[in-house]
């Protein structure tokens, strides 16, 4: 008889697969509108494609280049202040709801931004500039964390040896540091490229017109501005193919470790004054760049007119957002625990690989593509107007699943290695084992997954853009529309609220807190 | 009252209760219509006083979004009346089967003969001419034609023709004036464009913040500043080649279960009361000839150019593609 905690597993796996299959089926045209191939002859399409690729490439190159000196300073300069705080802030930046950041950037660099007067007459925020600023803000912290981690992994003995051999700084860099870094740079750049290629909210809010649009935004516009499924399908295929190919390519480039906390270990060579200074400058600039846009929200929000601020609406929208995000992250927990129950049960490496592939394959399908597929598939049978909220919750669950899976896998693996025999000797009931041993063991990781997925779902724009409707507006969409109607102070206040909720949730669910 | 009735039935009291609650009429419209300074609130009060019903507005960003929304919702729409589509969207809406005949005898109202309105599905509730608005404190001699605007180095904000009726109006305007050369014309316009917004409110808001020299709006927009703010700072640039007109329309949706009430609302829109409210809240011209208007409305009488609704419908797809290909370069 299957154990209780294993029951939902197989069902769940087929469900996960079914969603993607259904989306694919819809993308294949499936009896109705086929993809509109005539777009190939439109300069507009090529312009969109080019812009999508160029902005992603620039974002990833800039993020990586800027991250290197900062990460090095963080790893090697023992005199740096507030390191631990900064690395935690980096984590937050990476999952930060993009609308918070966008509002902050507009308040700084927008047409009446605080910094705009110093940027010269020809400064144009909307378009490539704004998109790059936002993408670098969101991804630089990730790169910093990965690189910093790599640098810290260099063993003490390597440093000592290089020092005894009298290596100069550049020699140490070339012979000791570079080989360690080289392994991750392509993977980091590739990953950032994919994230930016799939970026929706940033481009929608900061694109500023049809000349700076990406595939992801074009899909949304084809469906929601023009209701042209044939065009949306073609664009979705293009997006899917490019992301699929790139993903397979980048996967070969190596694995990334970035969430584990930084460790200060052992002896580090002292650096020359010039290098230290450069490192500190880089660090200072990074701190400024990553903190200022958020800090700006405070003075911007101070300017609100309390009398006309839509308090009721903000309240409603916030509660609704919390509801969506809680349901999505709870669904995710159930999902990921279910997947692992099947994973643990199967002993053959091959079956495990298949299960992993099922859990991870959503990484290759951009949320927008998945949404469009599901949307078009069910359109004739079901009123999305009424049932869109179900899709919003479930799809937010799905897109976070690969992340949750990779986070939990080492912990589950370790658990089985250490406790499987012991637990089977104890002859605990299935339920008891599940609640009293298994879940408590995984709890810190589960909490982290819950927190991160909550914040991701809270900030979702793409899935909501397809299934949502005005009356269900979530906090990011409220901010978007406030900023759109030029109510920057109101937008800043709502953004601060969104930011506050995200920070609070992450803080409460942080594994360190959990173990106390 | 309705909710208390629901409660009763939820408690399982299987009494035979017929609808005692007041009727509800749901009107889909665009956001500037329902804003506190728009005609929405006043019309709601006026209509509710005579209908024994509740009037609910549901708003979209702009006219074309309104149509897209209606189309996506299909038969499940809650809308009884759709208000704010225009003559350029009329044929498409009709072809999609989204509206039903209004069954009103239009000759009962003193409608402006220039409109020559005889349509059996849509009724007009106001009209206006698209125009570029400028700040007279900044610009002394405004441009006097599209060509002059394109040749100037003035900055411009306009609306996306895929979502907004003014944006669509500009598309027709450009198409009419430039014909086969419209692609180059769009590219020239793109050089002067600050941004293309999703709806009218966003664009006009940005313009008032000083973000551009010209914004696409209506010849009647300055009237707002004159009447409401007693300021003649903002003026409409009159173009020698003429202006594209927009007739704003209302219709009963095809799936509406509230047809009688919806029809009553359409007749109300043509009433003297409603037509008196609309000019000084929606800042458009009334469709009746017997409405007294503030002086400022009568100052500009542009020459009307454009396409018939049928021509617009036939050309729209191609024209939209031309636009996006030209401006994305």
């Amino acid at each position: 008889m299957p154990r209780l905690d294993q029951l939902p597993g197989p069902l769940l796996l087929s469900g996960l697969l079914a969603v993607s299959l259904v989306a694919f089926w819809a993308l294949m045209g499936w009896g109705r509108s086929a993809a509109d191939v005539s777009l190939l002859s439109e300069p507009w399409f090529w312009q969109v494609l080019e812009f999508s690729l160029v902005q992603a490439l620039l974002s990833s190159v800039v993020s990586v280049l800027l991250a290197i000196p900062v990460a090095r300073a963080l790893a090697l300069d023992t005199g740096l202040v507030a390191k631990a705080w900064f690395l935690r802030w980096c984590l937050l930046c990476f999952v930060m709801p993009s609308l918070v950041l966008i509002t902050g950037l507009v308040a700084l660099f927008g047409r009446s931004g605080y910094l705009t007067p110093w940027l010269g007459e020809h400064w144009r925020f909307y378009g490539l500039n704004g998109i790059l600023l936002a993408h670098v803000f969101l991804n630089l912290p990730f790169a910093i964390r990965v690189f910093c981690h790599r640098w810290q992994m260099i063993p003490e003995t390597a440093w000592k040896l290089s020092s005894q051999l009298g290596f100069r700084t550049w020699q140490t860099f070339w012979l000791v540091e570079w080989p360690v870094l080289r392994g991750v740079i392509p993977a980091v750049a590739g990953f950032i490229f994919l994230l930016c290629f799939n970026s929706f909210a940033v481009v929608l809010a900061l694109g500023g017109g049809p000349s700076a649009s990406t595939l992801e935004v074009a899909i949304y516009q084809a469906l929601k501005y023009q209701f042209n499924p044939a065009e949306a399908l073609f664009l979705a295929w293009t997006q899917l193919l490019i992301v699929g190919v790139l993903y397979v390519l980048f996967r070969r480039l190596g694995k990334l470790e970035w969430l584990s906390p930084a460790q200060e270990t052992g002896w580090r060579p002292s650096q020359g004054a010039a290098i230290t200074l450069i490192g500190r400058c880089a660090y200072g600039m990074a701190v400024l760049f990553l903190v200022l846009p958020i800090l700006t929200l405070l003075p911007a929000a101070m300017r609100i007119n309390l009398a006309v601020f839509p308090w009721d609406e903000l309240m409603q929208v916030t509660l609704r957002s919390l509801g969506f995000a809680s349901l999505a992250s709870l669904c995710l927990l159930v999902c990921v625990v279910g997947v692992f129950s099947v994973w643990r049960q199967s002993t053959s490496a091959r079956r495990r690989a298949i299960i992993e592939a099922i859990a991870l394959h959503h990484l290759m399908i951009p949320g927008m593509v998945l949404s469009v597929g599901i949307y078009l598939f069910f359109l004739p049978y079901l009123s999305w107007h009424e049932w869109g909220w179900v899709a919003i919750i479930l799809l937010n669950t799905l897109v976070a699943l690969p992340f949750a899976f990779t986070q939990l896998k080492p912990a589950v693996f370790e658990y089985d290695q250490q406790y499987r025999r012991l637990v089977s000797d104890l002859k605990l009931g299935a339920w008891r084992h599940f609640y009293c041993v298994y879940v408590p063991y995984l709890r810190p990781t589960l909490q982290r997954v819950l927190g991160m997925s909550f914040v991701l779902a809270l900030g979702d724009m793409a899935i909501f853009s397809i299934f949502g409707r005005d009356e269900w507006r979530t906090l990011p969409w409220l901010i978007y529309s406030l900023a759109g109607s030029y109510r920057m102070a109101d937008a800043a206040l709502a953004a601060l609220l969104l930011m506050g909720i995200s920070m609070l949730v992450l803080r409460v669910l942080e594994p360190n807190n959990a173990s106390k | 009252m309705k909710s208390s009735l629901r409660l009763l039935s939820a408690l399982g009291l299987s009494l035979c209760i017929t609808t005692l609650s007041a009727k509800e009429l749901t009107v889909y419209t665009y956001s500037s219509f329902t804003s506190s300074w728009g005609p929405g609130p006043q019309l709601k009060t006026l209509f509710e006083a005579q209908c024994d019903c509740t009037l609910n507005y549901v708003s979209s960003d702009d006219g074309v979004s309104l149509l897209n929304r209606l189309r996506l919702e299909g038969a499940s729409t809650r809308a009884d009346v759709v208000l704010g589509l225009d003559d350029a969207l009329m044929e498409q809406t009709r072809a999609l089967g989204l509206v039903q005949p209004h069954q009103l005898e239009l000759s009962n109202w003193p409608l402006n003969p220039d409109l020559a309105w005889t349509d059996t599905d849509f009724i007009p509730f106001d009209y206006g001419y698209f125009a570029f608005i400028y700040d007279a404190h900044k610009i002394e001699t405004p441009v006097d034609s599209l060509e002059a605007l394109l040749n100037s180095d003035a900055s411009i904000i306009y609306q996306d023709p895929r979502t907004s009726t003014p944006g669509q109006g500009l598309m027709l305007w450009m198409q009419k004036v430039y014909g086969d050369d419209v692609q180059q014309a769009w590219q020239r316009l793109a050089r002067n464009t600050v941004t293309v917004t999703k709806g009218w409110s966003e664009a006009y808001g940005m313009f008032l913040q000083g973000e551009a020299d010209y914004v696409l709006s209506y010849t009647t927009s300055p009237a707002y500043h004159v009447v409401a703010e007693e300021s003649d700072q903002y003026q409409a640039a009159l173009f020698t080649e003429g202006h594209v007109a927009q007739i704003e329309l209302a219709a009963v949706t095809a799936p509406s279960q509230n047809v009688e009430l919806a029809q009553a609302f359409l007749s109300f829109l043509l009433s003297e009361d409603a037509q008196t409210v609309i000019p000084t809240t929606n800042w458009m011209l009334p469709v009746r000839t017997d409405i007294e208007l503030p002086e400022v409305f009568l100052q500009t009488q542009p020459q009307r150019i454009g396409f018939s609704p049928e021509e617009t419908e036939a050309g729209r797809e191609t024209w939209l593609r031309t636009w996006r290909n030209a401006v994305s370069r």
Side-chain angles (χ1 to χ4, degrees):
Chain A
M1 206 183 93
R3 290 197 340 232
L4 204 53
D5 63 321
Q6 293 164 346
L7 249 182
L11 251 178
L12 209 108
L13 286 181
S14 9
L16 292 178
L17 215 52
V19 173
S20 312
L21 288 179
V22 160
F24 266 104
W25 202 350
L27 290 186
M28 301 289 258
W30 181 60
R32 282 189 298 275
S33 44
D36 182 1
V37 190
S38 74
L39 278 182
L40 282 173
S41 61
E42 276 201 53
W44 169 79
F45 168 74
W46 295 104
Q47 161 67 30
V48 167
L49 188 59
E50 185 191 322
F51 187 81
S52 311
L53 292 167
V54 166
Q55 60 83 18
L57 187 69
L58 284 175
S59 306
S60 75
V61 169
V62 172
S63 302
V64 166
L65 287 182
L66 293 180
I68 291 177
V70 182
R72 190 171 194 277
L74 277 166
L76 303 183
D77 186 344
T78 44
L80 231 48
V81 289
K83 261 194 230 183
W85 166 86
F86 179 72
L87 284 170
R88 274 225 307 277
W89 179 253
C90 281
L91 200 61
L92 181 64
C93 288
F94 185 62
V95 291
M96 182 177 301
S98 34
L99 253 292
V100 173
L101 161 71
I102 289 165
T103 315
L105 287 178
V106 172
L108 273 184
F109 301 105
R111 288 194 198 80
S112 22
Y114 292 110
L115 296 182
T116 313
W118 287 278
L119 293 171
E121 217 173 284
H122 297 291
W123 168 252
R124 281 195 58 167
F125 175 64
Y126 292 91
L128 188 60
N129 289 340
I131 293 172
L132 274 186
L133 276 172
H135 280 164
V136 172
F137 180 101
L138 291 169
N139 294 298
L140 175 70
F142 162 76
I144 290 178
R145 280 189 71 110
V146 179
F147 293 154
C148 183
H149 191 263
R150 291 301 279 201
W151 247 300
Q152 285 170 333
M153 270 169 46
I154 299 173
E156 200 178 337
T157 46
W159 293 115
K160 284 191 172 155
L161 193 64
S162 64
S163 159
Q164 278 158 4
L165 291 171
F167 282 177
R168 287 164 189 286
T169 307
W170 67 266
Q171 282 173 314
T172 316
F173 181 79
W174 188 243
L175 293 168
V176 178
E177 300 167 42
W178 179 244
V180 179
L181 265 194
R182 199 178 45 194
V184 287
I185 286 182
V188 171
F191 186 62
I192 295 179
F193 183 93
L194 276 187
L195 287 181
C196 296
F197 190 72
N198 287 338
S199 151
F200 175 73
V202 167
V203 182
L204 182 70
L206 303 180
S211 55
S213 177
T214 56
L215 281 174
E216 189 106 342
V217 172
I219 295 172
Y220 160 71
Q221 290 172 337
L223 205 55
K224 289 296 173 133
Y225 284 21
Q226 295 176 276
F227 193 64
N228 188 342
E231 195 172 297
L233 282 179
F234 181 78
L235 295 168
W237 268 113
T238 315
Q239 169 101 348
L240 183 67
L241 287 179
I242 294 176
V243 170
V245 169
L246 291 177
Y247 179 76
V248 172
L249 273 178
F250 294 152
R251 247 203 90 109
R252 290 160 183 268
L253 299 176
K255 238 185 113 227
L256 302 172
E257 181 62 59
W258 63 286
L259 277 174
S260 50
Q263 49 235 342
E264 298 266 0
T265 45
W267 181 84
R268 293 283 180 268
S270 63
Q271 306 285 327
I275 299 281
T276 310
L277 191 67
I278 294 175
R280 288 189 182 174
C281 281
Y283 178 68
M285 304 268 276
V287 172
L288 217 58
F289 176 60
L290 293 179
V291 170
L292 216 54
I294 307 305
L295 227 49
T296 308
L297 291 175
L298 287 171
M302 298 297 244
R303 290 193 286 192
I304 67 159
N305 182 346
L306 289 171
V308 296
F309 186 81
W311 292 109
D312 284 354
E313 195 188 1
L314 181 70
M315 193 68 187
Q316 260 180 20
V317 166
T318 308
L319 286 179
R320 193 178 308 120
S321 274
L322 289 177
F324 277 140
S326 315
L327 284 173
S329 51
L330 287 177
C331 278
L332 177 73
L333 269 199
V334 173
C335 245
V336 76
V337 169
V339 169
F340 272 112
S341 75
V342 205
W343 188 80
R344 293 177 60 222
Q345 219 179 1
S346 50
T347 38
S348 87
R350 209 170 137 187
R351 280 190 62 185
R352 284 196 166 189
I354 294 174
I355 296 169
E356 266 191 68
I358 295 178
L360 294 179
H361 78 281
H362 287 117
L363 265 185
M364 286 168 58
I365 312 175
M368 181 60 82
V369 175
L370 195 65
S371 302
V372 168
I374 298 291
Y375 185 90
L376 291 179
F377 184 88
F378 289 105
L379 194 61
Y381 314 115
L382 147 126
S383 155
W384 283 122
H385 189 64
E386 277 166 62
W387 295 102
W389 59 275
V390 180
I392 294 171
I393 293 167
L394 290 182
L395 289 181
N396 267 303
T397 304
L398 279 190
V399 294
L401 183 64
F403 157 78
F405 186 87
T406 41
Q407 283 298 302
L408 268 171
K409 194 179 145 192
V412 173
F413 190 75
E414 210 173 61
Y415 174 81
D416 278 347
Q417 291 281 308
Q418 291 179 2
Y419 297 107
R420 184 159 234 173
R421 289 217 179 120
L422 180 70
V423 165
S424 69
D425 283 350
L426 283 174
K427 300 221 179 336
L428 293 171
W431 204 234
R432 219 163 183 202
H433 160 247
F434 184 70
Y435 265 117
C436 302
V437 188
Y438 185 60
V439 168
Y441 182 86
L442 293 180
R443 198 169 149 186
T445 323
L446 284 177
Q447 281 195 212
R448 184 201 285 156
V449 165
L450 188 68
M452 293 277 219
S453 62
F454 181 91
V455 173
L456 287 178
L458 193 66
D460 165 65
M461 289 277 287
I463 295 170
F464 190 91
S465 75
I466 299 296
F467 295 100
R469 51 188 242 212
D470 288 356
E471 299 95 275
W472 301 341
R473 242 188 328 196
T474 55
L475 207 39
W477 279 95
L478 176 71
I479 300 171
Y480 176 65
S481 70
L482 286 175
S485 46
Y486 241 81
R487 291 159 64 182
M488 278 316 293
D490 296 356
L493 187 75
L496 277 177
L497 180 67
L498 181 56
M499 176 80 189
I501 296 173
S502 308
M503 281 171 85
L504 191 72
V505 168
L506 287 178
R507 181 95 197 120
V508 168
L509 292 176
E510 201 166 294
N512 297 343
N513 277 10
S515 55
K516 274 175 203 163
Chain B
M1 179 174 275
K2 195 169 182 189
S3 60
S4 62
L5 284 180
R6 277 206 196 120
L7 193 68
L8 285 180
S9 57
L11 285 169
L13 300 174
S14 53
L15 292 168
C16 193
I17 302 170
T18 47
T19 17
L20 294 171
S21 60
K23 283 186 180 166
E24 283 190 41
L25 185 74
T26 305
V27 176
Y28 277 17
T29 184
Y30 50 81
S31 55
S32 59
F33 194 88
T34 57
S35 67
S36 52
W37 41 264
Q42 283 190 55
L43 294 184
K44 177 178 161 77
T45 317
L46 284 173
F47 185 63
E48 283 178 351
Q50 65 181 65
C51 74
D52 183 30
C53 71
T54 313
L55 175 62
N56 295 319
Y57 293 116
V58 176
S59 58
S60 295
D61 288 331
D62 207 324
V64 193
S65 313
L66 193 60
L67 172 60
N68 288 338
R69 174 169 183 169
L70 212 56
R71 171 150 72 167
L72 286 175
E73 292 176 8
S76 70
T77 187
R78 289 191 298 130
D80 297 306
V81 170
V82 55
L83 182 154
L85 299 176
D86 67 0
D87 49 334
L89 291 171
M90 186 168 83
E91 290 310 321
Q92 193 185 6
T93 314
R94 199 192 330 262
L96 289 165
L98 298 173
V99 292
Q100 54 174 298
H102 53 60
Q103 294 175 346
L104 302 181
E105 190 50 62
L106 290 174
S107 57
N108 292 345
W109 289 273
L111 296 184
N112 187 332
D114 292 349
L115 298 175
W117 200 261
T118 53
D119 197 84
T120 51
D121 290 336
F122 295 88
I123 61 133
F125 64 88
D126 65 21
Y127 75 104
Y129 300 90
F130 296 113
F132 284 93
I133 307 296
Y134 64 96
D135 179 346
H137 291 182
K138 282 198 221 156
I139 295 173
E140 276 181 23
T141 22
V143 290
D144 61 355
S145 66
L146 267 181
E147 183 63 18
L149 182 68
L150 266 47
N151 284 335
S152 72
D153 57 357
S155 55
I156 298 163
I157 299 178
Y158 68 95
Q159 300 83 357
D160 193 324
R162 294 171 299 182
T163 45
S164 156
T165 52
Q168 185 173 265
L170 179 63
M171 184 175 84
L172 302 179
W173 206 353
M174 294 281 281
Q175 200 69 42
K176 190 80 201 175
V177 171
Y178 290 99
D180 290 342
D181 299 326
V182 76
Q183 183 163 343
Q184 286 84 22
W186 278 123
Q187 280 168 10
R188 282 157 67 204
L189 183 69
R191 285 202 299 268
N192 298 7
T193 305
V194 175
T195 188
V196 180
T197 65
K198 199 174 170 194
W200 175 88
S201 318
E202 205 180 332
Y204 208 74
M206 284 177 75
F207 166 72
L208 292 182
Q209 300 272 336
E211 306 294 350
D213 300 324
Y214 291 91
V215 67
L216 179 64
S217 189
Y218 299 89
T219 50
T220 41
S221 303
Y224 162 74
H225 301 283
V226 172
V227 175
E229 299 174 342
E230 296 184 353
S231 151
D232 57 359
Q233 183 180 359
Y234 299 103
Q235 301 283 340
L238 279 188
F239 286 2
T240 46
E241 66 263 46
H243 292 241
V244 169
Q246 175 184 36
I247 306 170
E248 292 202 282
L249 309 173
V252 183
T253 62
S256 172
Q257 300 294 315
N258 251 334
V259 178
E260 271 179 38
L261 193 57
Q263 286 168 352
F265 183 68
L266 295 194
S267 350
F268 163 73
L269 282 175
L270 295 174
S271 70
E272 203 173 338
D273 284 349
Q275 287 291 310
T276 312
V277 169
I278 287 171
T280 51
T281 47
N282 213 30
W283 308 99
M284 295 284 274
L285 297 162
V287 290
R288 285 172 73 122
T289 45
D290 57 350
I291 304 296
E292 275 197 36
L293 288 173
E295 182 63 22
V296 55
F297 278 95
L298 308 170
Q299 284 167 4
T300 48
Q301 278 301 330
Q303 180 205 339
R304 180 177 172 180
I305 56 169
F307 298 95
S308 73
E310 293 79 13
E311 287 170 325
T312 308
E313 184 50 21
R316 181 207 316 279
E317 266 306 303
T318 325
W319 297 341
L320 272 176
R321 287 196 175 212
T322 311
W323 167 76
R324 80 175 176 192
N325 281 316
V327 298
S328 65
R329 288 207 178 148

